[in-house]
Amino acid sequence: MTEQHALFDPILRDLSDRSRDEVLAAFSAVQYAANPVAEVQLPGLRDVTLRRQVQKMLTLIGRTLVKVDGTHWTSGYADDVAETLTAQGWQPLSAVDRAVLVLVLVHSVAIPRSEGILTGDSWKSARPTTVDELRTTRISGEDRRLALQRLRAAGLVQLSGDHSGGPSYIPGPQLQRLTPAARRRLQDQLILAAAPASPIAEAIRARKGITEDEGAA
């Protein structure tokens, strides 16, 4: 992060050496750790004043703190930055990768949530997506295999712990970087697509003021 110190200097220069080290450690953790970081492990996250400095640093690079499960922290794109990037057509995933990712999210999150099996707004799921469920698409086996490799490398999907029926997949830790607003939008879209006639889909349409036909579109 040496090259970024000049950018962050206005935030860091008035801190004591100890506080600066704690803020930098927390910043690095939420930015680069594969999984959300426990608040209790880092003073820069545990202390509200220091955490505010971490947030200021993240704001300078278009990021924001995201709280996970009430006790952990990570970072993600700020909502206004994500909206701008989307409007400009920025899309890091190929069409095949997006299709496979959506399938995992639909089977592991959207369908269980529409059935009342999964509650809350977390991406954690005990309902893995099986290889058989992924085979129901027009994507070739080789393209699907390569897409899963790329998605796993990116932390967007991961293997479930139960391999008794062959490999199966659940959402990866990188999805926890979504802000609450971004997470809610994506989950709503998945439920409307996966279970448009479910009570939860009806509730989403009522909240958004759209019809079933509009939701399906």
Side-chain angles (χ1 to χ4, degrees), residues 11-71:
I11 298 171
L12 298 172
R13 63 188 172 199
D14 293 331
L15 299 176
S16 67
D17 289 346
R18 179 176 178 177
S19 292
R20 183 168 56 251
D21 290 344
E22 290 171 346
V23 167
L24 286 170
F27 174 88
S28 296
V30 297
Q31 270 290 88
Y32 304 116
N35 293 283
V37 184
E39 179 179 299
V40 70
Q41 292 179 345
L42 292 169
L45 296 175
R46 190 168 62 249
D47 182 277
V48 175
T49 301
L50 295 181
R51 190 167 68 234
R52 194 174 295 124
Q53 306 312 309
V54 176
Q55 175 60 67
K56 289 179 180 179
M57 292 173 65
L58 290 168
T59 298
L60 290 177
I61 58 172
R63 309 281 286 181
T64 189
L65 278 172
V66 178
K67 198 167 191 178
V68 181
D69 295 337
T71 59

Side-chain angles (χ1 to χ4, degrees), residues 63-135:
R63 309 281 286 181
T64 189
L65 278 172
V66 178
K67 198 167 191 178
V68 181
D69 295 337
T71 59
H72 291 68
W73 294 91
T74 185
S75 66
Y77 281 109
D79 290 324
D80 58 335
V81 173
E83 183 178 351
T84 298
L85 290 172
T86 300
Q88 293 174 349
W90 181 73
Q91 176 51 258
L93 297 179
S94 69
V96 171
D97 289 3
R98 294 198 303 272
V100 173
L101 175 59
V102 166
L103 279 172
V104 173
L105 296 181
V106 163
H107 286 286
S108 292
V109 178
I111 292 177
R113 181 166 284 121
S114 71
E115 295 172 344
I117 298 172
L118 185 65
T119 59
D121 67 350
S122 171
W123 291 108
K124 292 183 179 180
S125 174
R127 166 57 171 88
T129 301
T130 65
V131 172
D132 285 342
E133 288 168 331
L134 294 174
R135 287 191 183 119

Side-chain angles (χ1 to χ4, degrees), residues 170-181:
I170 55 177
Q174 287 297 309
L175 286 165
Q176 297 185 78
R177 291 187 180 273
L178 292 172
T179 64

Side-chain angles (χ1 to χ4, degrees), residues 147-166:
L148 285 167
Q149 285 183 354
R150 291 188 292 267
L151 292 170
R152 288 180 61 193
L156 292 169
V157 303
Q158 59 188 339
L159 283 168
S160 73
D162 181 8
H163 305 304
S164 58

